[in-house]
Amino acid sequence: MFLHLLYWRCTRNGYGHIAARRVCHEVLFIDTANLDEIAEAKSWGCLAGVTTNPSLYAKTGGKLADFEPHMLKIAELCEGLPVSAESTATTAEGMVEEGRRLSALAPNIVVKLPVCEAGLAACRALADAGVRVNMTLVFSPTQALMAANAGARYISPFVGRYDDIALDGLSQLADVVACIKNYDWSDKNPDGRVEIITASVRTPNHVTQAALLGADIATVPMAALKKCLHHPLTDQGLASFAADWASPPIRDSP
Ligand code: E4P
């Protein structure tokens, strides 16, 4: 009974859902295609994966012809961790072809596809061929359910872009988490499980709320990751420890 209680917890989250779920870890991915940022985040010892997209690759200044070699570099730098590489094809056939090529680059590459008719069809074909797919640009629970049924291994609901248009991204995320966690996806994709990647993260509060809601993963840009780590009271504490240590210490009497 005690063990049961240890591994399962009933939670009422801020959005009123009651979730009974296995206690595991919210893992942090970095949302970037910049090799220096990935290497730095990896050096901290808590990085669990990387997500990229065409805009993030464009920000690195990389050329189109270097896209696949660049993805391979990220995959090698993060050996053993999932690295999402996004297809830019617009047809199901094109996505399947590009997805096969991307996934053949390295075993830890996850193919990222947009949630749309072509994306769903390509997802099913790739999942049937044993390729892991991260379904992106998810903005509603129904899109998430369709993606999971089409064989997505990861589903990426976007939070920040909702907030950008003055809507509540976290409440959408809450609905996605509740819908996906209600079902067993063990026969739908190569790993038999679906993980939710909270995407379009802008603030540490997005990361905290995503964890409280039971999202499996948050993918976080470098600037927000640093904000997640730093706290003024930590800085103040460090400064006062250093100052006290530098002042004349109290010695044991002889
Ligand atoms: C998801 O994996 C995307 O890369 C991402 O989080 C997009 O977020 P944005 O809204 O900051 O562009």
Side-chain angles (χ1 to χ4, degrees):
M1 180 61 180
F2 174 71
L3 274 183
H4 181 83
L5 285 175
L6 200 67
Y7 283 102
W8 291 86
R9 179 187 289 163
C10 280
T11 311
R12 181 182 287 278
N13 60 42
Y15 293 87
H17 298 295
I18 294 180
R21 58 190 164 76
R22 190 161 177 201
V23 176
C24 52
H25 311 285
E26 189 206 36
V27 297
L28 293 179
F29 286 12
I30 187 164
D31 198 24
T32 184
N34 180 303
L35 290 167
D36 293 337
E37 289 183 349
I38 296 167
E40 184 185 347
K42 187 165 175 272
S43 74
W44 302 341
C46 63
L47 187 71
V50 179
T51 52
T52 68
N53 65 33
S55 312
L56 293 172
Y57 177 65
K59 263 194 208 163
T60 68
K63 298 196 178 14
L64 279 187
D66 293 333
F67 173 66
E68 289 183 15
H70 189 84
M71 287 302 131
L72 178 58
K73 276 189 201 154
I74 298 177
E76 285 174 348
L77 179 60
C78 298
E79 198 187 338
L81 305 180
V83 172
S84 287
E86 188 160 344
S87 166
T88 50
T90 52
T91 62
E93 298 69 34
M95 289 178 195
V96 171
E97 195 192 312
E98 197 181 351
R100 283 181 185 276
R101 246 192 0 259
L102 288 169
S103 75
L105 290 173
N108 53 332
I109 295 256
V110 173
V111 176
K112 209 168 165 194
L113 297 175
V115 68
C116 59
E117 287 86 341
L120 290 176
C123 180
R124 170 48 58 215
L126 288 167
D128 288 348
V131 174
R132 292 180 185 87
V133 174
N134 172 3
M135 192 64 84
T136 190
L137 288 170
V138 169
F139 288 91
S140 74
T142 50
Q143 289 177 323
L145 288 165
M146 292 170 93
N149 273 296
R153 168 66 178 81
Y154 299 95
I155 294 176
S156 296
F158 281 41
V159 171
R161 291 194 196 186
Y162 258 119
D163 295 359
D164 291 346
I165 57 165
L167 293 174
D168 183 358
L170 287 168
S171 88
Q172 284 294 327
L173 176 68
D175 288 346
V176 168
V177 171
C179 287
I180 293 298
K181 301 290 172 188
N182 263 346
Y183 299 99
D184 173 6
W185 303 101
S186 51
D187 58 347
K188 293 289 183 188
N189 67 54
D191 294 334
R193 55 199 282 248
V194 172
E195 285 179 292
I196 296 170
I197 304 180
T198 305
S200 188
V201 165
R202 306 267 191 267
T203 64
N205 188 49
H206 282 161
V207 177
T208 305
Q209 297 307 319
L212 289 170
L213 292 170
D216 305 284
I217 297 157
T219 190
V220 188
M222 185 49 127
L225 263 186
K226 288 200 170 168
K227 285 187 195 161
C228 288
L229 179 60
H230 293 290
H231 194 286
L233 291 179
T234 306
D235 296 342
Q236 199 180 306
L238 276 173
S240 66
F241 287 153
D244 291 344
W245 194 246
S247 66
I250 300 161
R251 305 277 175 211
D252 290 338
S253 29

